[in-house]
Amino acid sequence: MLPRHHDPILAIATAPGRGAVGMVRVSGKDLKPLALALFGRMLPPREAVYLPFCDAAGIPIDRGLALYFAAPHSFTGEDVLELQAHGGPVVLQLLLARCMEAASQRDPQAGQLVLPHLRLAAAGEFSERAFLNDKIDLTQAEAIADLIDASTEAAARSAAQSLSGAFSKEVHALRDALTRLRMLVEATLDFPEEEIDFLQKADASGQLERIQAALQAVFARASQGALLREGIQVVIAGQPNAGKSSLLNALAGAELAIVTPIAGTTRDRVQETIQIEGVPIHVIDTAGLRASVDTVELIGIERAWEAITAADVVLFLHDLTRAAEPSYQAGDVEIRSALQQKLPSGVPVIDIWNKADAVSTALQPEGITLSAKTGHGLDALRQALLQAAGWQAPAGGSFIARERHIQALRSVDAHCREAAAHLASQAQALDLLAEELRLAQGALSDITGEFSSDDLLGVIFSQFCIGK
């Protein structure tokens, strides 16, 4: 534990701005002297006390609730003091300053500072204290930030699942199963003279297969959770006046982009996040792709290609009313060729044929036919986007996950595959089998933070809000 983790910390724990209630939170090893200096009395643990919050001269700053949580029965595992006042920024700043002032005073009885080294908390430091004091593991700590940042109801529910320990429980079960199997392998290595084949008797091969099956189930749920957290980036591309802005507006259900009959109206990217079955879809409308001598339009087209090459899914929008025009067909061919050259492999391109309401003939081009004006075909597009994203609602529900969790689970899978290969050769490679199982264990422990470097913790908790 770094020296800074021993300092008592202080922060405003509610969002910036005005509100009905605001909170100042303090966490440290012994906060009784601070409570006595602030209120002239001790506070009963875990009991809300309504009293005045006064400055050093005894003049009330506000009246509110004070709560004292004695260690280890608190969020951080340390003593925690919470002051709940009216949520005005000035009031909360005055309370913050008063706490710092009281901490720097000398206790007349003890003859020392009331609370030495009290300082403002860094981002996420309260949650970091909770992790370091074994109140939560790393996946639960990350779930706190994900719950706060959730952009959809499904993402919030998945984050709550992780915060309750659902993800951690699955990881611990996998780790325990790997530990048992590794013990068998180590026993075989330690006692080679024994005639009993420990691995065959204990069905080591069957155990490993069951671990791999359980790992795949966890990976599927975690992948869906990662999708709920991150969403996918969808870019609408096509020639000018194909209805890209109209499609964005139709998907968003709001007039976000300017729509006119004039080709080239959209000069820059317009982005909106929508949700489909709880999955965040970040939709970007771009400038029409065509040859141009207009400097501003060329900049817009360049930015359009930047967005396209970074997309998870591209919606290639076509205009049904111009589908038979040779010049329009040539433009689409040129765009498709450019997409094939510039897009990374594996990025899906969905052909969308717009303006079905304006065409009387029964055209059935390949792709999805819709009308951004009437809404016809939008449901089919939404389902196509979910399919392209790989969304499948897990039967047991998902838990929120991050890219580092996915990478760690992939690493576990790779080590298990290597272990299975070594197990097949049995005695000739048992030492390598034991090592692969150890590496798989380590990758699982990285997820929950049992073996995490201070650098990794710094990156994770720095993304939290102040006061949490």
Side-chain angles (χ1 to χ4, degrees):
M1 187 177 290
L2 298 176
R4 70 182 183 90
H5 295 142
H6 297 288
D7 295 340
I9 54 175
L10 165 74
I12 296 173
T14 42
R18 292 174 172 81
V21 178
M23 181 192 299
V24 172
R25 176 180 290 155
V26 189
S27 180
K29 287 192 174 180
D30 184 11
L31 301 185
K32 291 179 182 177
L34 178 62
L36 189 60
L38 287 172
F39 310 119
R41 54 174 288 192
M42 299 304 297
L43 298 176
R46 306 176 70 84
E47 188 174 310
V49 180
Y50 181 68
L51 40 65
F53 301 142
C54 299
D55 62 17
I59 300 173
I61 298 171
D62 195 3
R63 295 185 68 88
L65 295 177
L67 293 96
Y68 168 65
F69 301 90
H73 306 294
S74 70
F75 172 68
T76 63
E78 303 173 329
D79 279 7
V80 170
L81 181 64
E82 292 185 354
L83 309 182
Q84 298 182 11
H86 292 96
V90 174
V91 172
L92 296 178
Q93 287 294 337
L94 288 172
L95 288 179
L96 200 72
R98 175 57 187 144
C99 289
M100 294 292 290
E101 182 184 32
S104 62
Q105 294 175 349
R106 288 199 175 273
D107 187 327
Q109 295 181 347
Q112 61 185 16
L113 296 180
V114 169
L115 193 62
H117 311 300
L118 178 65
R119 60 174 174 80
L120 294 177
E125 196 166 0
F126 288 93
S127 296
E128 185 179 20
R129 294 282 175 97
F131 166 71
L132 293 172
N133 293 323
D134 295 323
K135 302 296 288 187
I136 54 176
D137 65 25
L138 197 53
T139 59
Q140 290 173 298
E142 291 169 308
I144 294 171
D146 294 333
L147 185 58
I148 293 171
D149 294 335
S151 59
T152 69
E153 180 182 344
R157 291 186 182 277
S158 294
Q161 279 269 84
S162 291
L163 182 55
S164 70
F167 190 14
S168 305
K169 183 179 178 181
E170 300 277 4
V171 172
H172 289 152
L174 284 170
R175 186 199 60 194
D176 292 345
L178 281 168
T179 300
R180 289 191 294 270
L181 180 56
R182 185 181 169 195
M183 287 172 59
L184 289 170
V185 175
E186 297 286 355
T188 305
L189 287 170
D190 290 342
F191 303 101
E193 69 280 0
E194 294 286 344
E195 295 181 0
I196 299 175
D197 187 347
F198 287 98
L199 300 183
Q200 186 176 3
K201 183 178 179 180
D203 188 25
S205 179
Q207 286 191 46
L208 184 54
E209 288 177 2
R210 288 189 289 274
I211 289 171
Q212 290 178 293
L215 175 63
Q216 291 305 314
V218 172
F219 183 81
R221 294 179 66 187
S223 297
Q224 299 307 295
L227 184 58
L228 287 175
R229 181 179 185 270
E230 303 292 344
I232 59 169
Q233 185 152 297
V234 176
V235 175
I236 307 174
Q239 296 188 59
N241 210 22
K244 296 183 296 297
S245 298
S246 297
L247 180 56
L248 172 64
N249 292 344
L251 287 170
E255 295 296 323
L256 302 172
I258 299 173
V259 176
T260 74
I262 302 172
T265 298
T266 301
R267 297 297 184 96
D268 205 352
R269 293 177 294 187
V270 179
Q271 179 170 334
E272 178 67 11
T273 297
I274 64 173
Q275 59 171 303
I276 304 174
E277 295 185 15
V279 179
I281 310 291
H282 312 293
V283 186
I284 301 175
D285 174 27
T286 59
L289 304 176
R290 66 175 177 181
S292 176
V293 295
D294 185 295
T295 302
V296 176
E297 187 176 8
L298 285 173
I299 294 173
I301 293 171
E302 181 181 352
R303 292 182 178 179
W305 279 113
E306 289 175 359
I308 291 168
T309 54
D312 297 311
V313 179
V314 175
L315 301 183
F316 187 3
L317 195 65
H318 311 275
D319 185 348
L320 269 175
T321 63
R322 293 182 285 166
E325 298 176 9
S327 60
Y328 187 80
Q329 292 175 350
D332 270 4
V333 169
E334 186 176 343
I335 293 173
R336 189 173 299 280
S337 175
L339 288 172
Q340 291 173 347
Q341 293 175 14
K342 296 183 178 184
L343 277 181
S345 61
V347 175
V349 177
I350 302 175
D351 286 293
I352 309 294
W353 295 87
N354 189 27
K355 304 184 183 180
D357 60 291
V359 178
S360 57
T361 56
L363 291 175
Q364 293 295 329
E366 185 177 349
I368 297 174
T369 300
L370 56 77
S371 168
K373 182 177 180 180
T374 66
H376 169 74
L378 286 181
D379 286 341
L381 173 57
R382 294 186 181 100
Q383 293 305 312
L385 286 173
L386 288 178
Q387 185 177 0
W391 171 251
Q392 292 178 344
S398 61
F399 28 68
I400 210 75
R402 299 186 172 200
E403 183 59 29
R404 76 172 194 90
H405 304 150
I406 301 300
Q407 293 301 327
L409 291 172
R410 286 194 177 120
S411 178
V412 175
D413 180 60
H415 290 305
C416 284
R417 290 176 184 273
E418 288 293 324
H422 294 313
L423 184 58
S425 61
Q426 295 194 7
Q428 293 83 350
L430 289 185
D431 53 342
L432 297 177
L433 168 59
E435 178 62 12
E436 291 297 339
L437 294 176
R438 185 189 69 81
L439 292 172
Q441 272 185 288
L444 286 172
S445 296
D446 284 340
I447 294 176
T448 54
E450 292 168 82
F451 303 107
S452 295
S453 68
D454 287 330
D455 289 340
L456 173 62
L457 298 182
V459 170
I460 290 173
F461 287 106
S462 67
Q463 298 170 1
F464 281 49
C465 53
I466 299 293
K468 197 63 185 175

